[in-house]
Amino acid sequence: MSGFDEPTWVNPASNNITTHEEADTGGHVTADSATIEDYGNKGKRSPALMAMSVLNVGLAIMMAALGVLTLIEVHSSKSVKDLSEPFLATYMIMFALLLGVYEVMWWTPFPIVNKQMRKNFGFLYGLLGKGFYLIFVACLCIGLGTDARIAALNYSTGGCFMASGILHSFVVCCRPDLAVQYVAPSAGLSRADERGANVV
């Protein structure tokens, strides 16, 4: 779509203007590699952020268990009247895997997986986006149904997801000092990838 009265800044490759200049720092301002590595681990030292990550791993396990138990229940009943329950259960397992993989990557770097996850699921890389994701999944859990055998796990999982989503949103809105400490996984990303990522 280039060439249709678009400004030159839309396509940086055709723009001949220099986009950056080196600042004269006098040659004495440097950052050693230990400082740069320390910045990447800064968010992992906060006990509150670590507790939120462990909570999210527990939630992912609860939701995966709920999805598997729902599929087992549907399979053992031998009569599939409505396909919405196994459909939602399959989605819950996939959403649980998505959250679990992200939280494991927060603790241990997986460069290839991280690059793909950030490109496709960038909303998980910020506390607010992850909070909204947790609230959305809570609605799925609560909407799964009221089967008497797994109703307790169903509502407790949905309630825990809702509370965790509200907690993530609360941290962003009411505790910005803690939210600023959060550092999303960046293994396998270049500086250009980090600038272009869709992190909420």
Side-chain angles (χ1 to χ4, degrees):
M1 295 233 5
S2 64
F4 293 105
D5 295 326
E6 291 180 345
T8 57
W9 55 264
V10 171
N11 190 358
S14 66
N15 192 352
N16 295 332
I17 300 171
T18 305
T19 58
H20 64 84
E21 293 182 24
E22 295 296 325
D24 181 18
T25 60
H28 52 73
V29 178
T30 60
D32 59 346
S33 60
T35 304
I36 295 170
E37 288 297 320
D38 187 48
Y39 174 76
N41 293 325
K42 181 174 78 169
K44 293 186 179 103
R45 281 189 272 150
S46 170
L49 294 175
M50 290 182 349
M52 288 171 62
S53 179
V54 170
L55 172 68
N56 289 340
V57 170
L59 289 174
I61 292 169
M62 280 178 69
M63 188 165 66
L66 178 61
V68 168
L69 288 174
T70 302
L71 287 176
I72 290 172
E73 189 65 34
V74 167
H75 181 68
S76 65
S77 69
K78 303 272 190 213
S79 65
V80 179
K81 296 174 255 173
D82 187 15
L83 290 177
S84 64
E85 271 193 33
F87 185 74
L88 279 176
T90 304
Y91 264 102
M92 288 174 55
I93 293 169
M94 290 189 303
F95 288 153
L97 286 173
L98 181 65
L99 181 63
V101 166
Y102 172 80
E103 291 301 335
V104 168
M105 280 191 318
W106 192 74
W107 293 91
T108 305
F110 293 108
I112 296 170
V113 176
N114 187 38
K115 189 170 185 175
Q116 290 302 314
M117 287 270 299
R118 191 167 191 134
K119 184 168 64 170
N120 294 307
F121 306 107
F123 56 88
L124 288 175
Y125 283 74
L127 289 176
L128 189 60
K130 194 186 318 179
F132 289 147
Y133 171 75
L134 294 172
I135 292 171
F136 166 72
V137 173
C139 294
L140 278 180
C141 290
I142 293 169
L144 183 60
T146 57
D147 187 5
R149 295 186 185 120
I150 57 171
L153 181 61
N154 185 13
Y155 289 122
S156 63
T157 302
C160 290
F161 263 87
M162 186 68 73
S164 182
I166 292 170
L167 174 68
H168 280 72
S169 302
F170 173 80
V171 166
V172 171
C173 296
C174 299
R175 294 288 313 270
D177 57 322
L178 187 60
V180 169
Q181 293 178 12
Y182 183 78
V183 178
S186 61
L189 299 174
S190 66
R191 292 277 185 216
D193 291 335
E194 288 177 15
R195 280 188 300 242
N198 52 345
V199 176
V200 178

